[in-house]
Amino acid sequence: MSKIIAIANQKGGVGKTTTTINLSASLASEGKRVLIIDADPQANATSGYGIDPKSMSSSIYECLVDDYPIKGSQVATCVEGLDLVGSRIDLAGAELELVNKPNREKVLANLLNTIKDDYDYIIIDCSPSLGLITVNALTAADSVIIPVQAEYFALEGISKLLNTIRIIKSRLNPSLEIEGFLLTMYDARLRLANQIFEELKGHFGDMVFNTVIPRNIRLSEAPSHGLPAILYDPSSRGATSHIMLAKEIISKHKRYA
């Protein structure tokens, strides 16, 4: 059965796109069929796979605004079993163009219903805002991964996101769950990073992934080469931690299937 996971946090710079790129590649490397939806106008998940937005016949913008079918809008990536529906800067204008659409919060959900049986996992990279496109992503998703940076302001703003998730759950998508909180940019040498991990565990218990994503130079370098870390440097800590995260998610889904 297909699983749709949104990667969301309205705080910028917490590692949403890095998680999207590398978790998707890791799930594919575990033999899963995976689709990335780049729902961020910055299009970093698209460029992070070395795909030029100008080369795409259609993007998520045309699917949301102009009713292009999502089937046929995918492009293959450098990872076997992993496709992507890319983004362009014009997605920034989609918020306004969606306002007058009927069932405007469910446009993405309806699109994904036509394709979800083709994939085991659909991963949606959300923009750092809680606008209409992110609401569409959360309405379409089965669950949300919330990346949390291991820094001082880590927990700031999480309550706002959790409130948005509660509202969407009550009004638009009753089955929406939190897949887990993912600690990113973690440096075990720093007392603060360990304190934040303990604080997260204290607040959210089992909802915090056991896997943490370390600060890792190879993880930062990989997108500039248009590659996920598992292809750029498979032995790096950035690559191995995302493989562990993929295994943790797959194992959790097996338990609850």
Side-chain angles (χ1 to χ4, degrees):
M1 199 175 89
S2 159
K3 178 102 178 174
I4 302 173
I5 301 175
I7 315 270
N9 190 333
Q10 81 277 10
K11 194 172 186 301
V14 298
K16 285 187 294 294
T17 301
T18 299
T19 302
T20 299
I21 290 171
N22 292 288
L23 171 59
S24 301
S26 300
L27 287 167
S29 77
E30 293 292 308
K32 303 299 179 185
R33 298 163 303 157
V34 185
L35 175 67
I36 295 174
I37 304 289
D38 189 350
D40 185 347
Q42 294 174 85
N44 290 336
T46 304
S47 61
Y49 269 100
I51 294 163
D52 179 0
K54 295 191 190 81
S55 71
M56 302 182 304
S57 59
S58 57
S59 69
I60 193 63
Y61 171 84
E62 283 83 9
C63 297
L64 289 169
V65 173
D66 298 326
D67 302 320
Y68 275 48
I70 206 157
K71 194 171 272 209
S73 296
Q74 317 102 302
V75 292
T77 69
C78 51
V79 177
E80 190 179 343
L82 175 60
D83 295 337
L84 176 138
V85 175
S87 179
R88 295 191 182 110
I89 190 66
D90 52 9
L91 186 62
E95 297 272 341
L96 291 172
E97 294 174 80
L98 282 171
V99 165
N100 296 318
K101 277 208 163 205
N103 282 329
R104 61 190 182 186
E105 298 91 352
K106 297 189 175 182
V107 177
L108 184 57
N110 293 334
L111 285 165
L112 294 184
N113 279 339
T114 66
I115 205 173
K116 66 181 184 182
D117 291 341
D118 297 344
Y119 296 96
D120 299 306
Y121 289 94
I122 297 175
I123 309 291
I124 309 172
D125 186 27
C126 297
S127 67
S129 77
L130 294 177
L132 192 48
I133 294 172
T134 299
V135 168
N136 260 267
L138 295 173
T139 303
D142 298 306
S143 62
V144 194
I145 290 175
I146 303 171
V148 180
Q149 192 176 1
E151 292 195 354
Y152 182 67
F153 293 113
L155 301 177
E156 196 178 75
I158 284 183
S159 59
K160 190 176 177 187
L161 176 61
L162 293 178
N163 193 44
T164 301
I165 290 169
R166 270 193 296 274
I167 291 167
I168 286 170
K169 199 172 160 71
S170 66
R171 297 182 189 171
L172 294 164
N173 183 6
S175 60
L176 182 65
E177 299 294 341
I178 292 173
E179 187 72 29
F181 293 85
L182 176 67
L183 197 65
T184 62
M185 304 178 202
Y186 178 76
D187 186 340
R189 297 167 302 177
L190 299 179
R191 188 166 56 179
L192 178 62
N194 292 301
Q195 281 173 347
I196 287 164
F197 187 53
E198 291 308 316
E199 208 169 322
L200 262 184
K201 278 280 193 190
H203 272 85
F204 302 111
D206 290 344
M207 285 197 288
V208 181
F209 285 109
N210 293 320
T211 306
V212 298
I213 308 300
R215 275 197 184 277
N216 180 245
I217 190 69
R218 310 305 267 172
L219 207 49
S220 306
E221 289 170 354
S224 66
H225 296 268
L227 295 169
I230 60 165
L231 292 186
Y232 180 63
D233 185 350
S235 63
S236 65
R237 288 190 309 133
T240 55
S241 62
H242 281 96
I243 291 281
M244 285 168 62
L245 176 63
K247 287 179 189 290
E248 189 174 343
I249 288 170
I250 291 166
S251 148
K252 180 180 175 184
H253 292 166
K254 275 184 186 159
R255 280 203 310 275
Y256 296 111

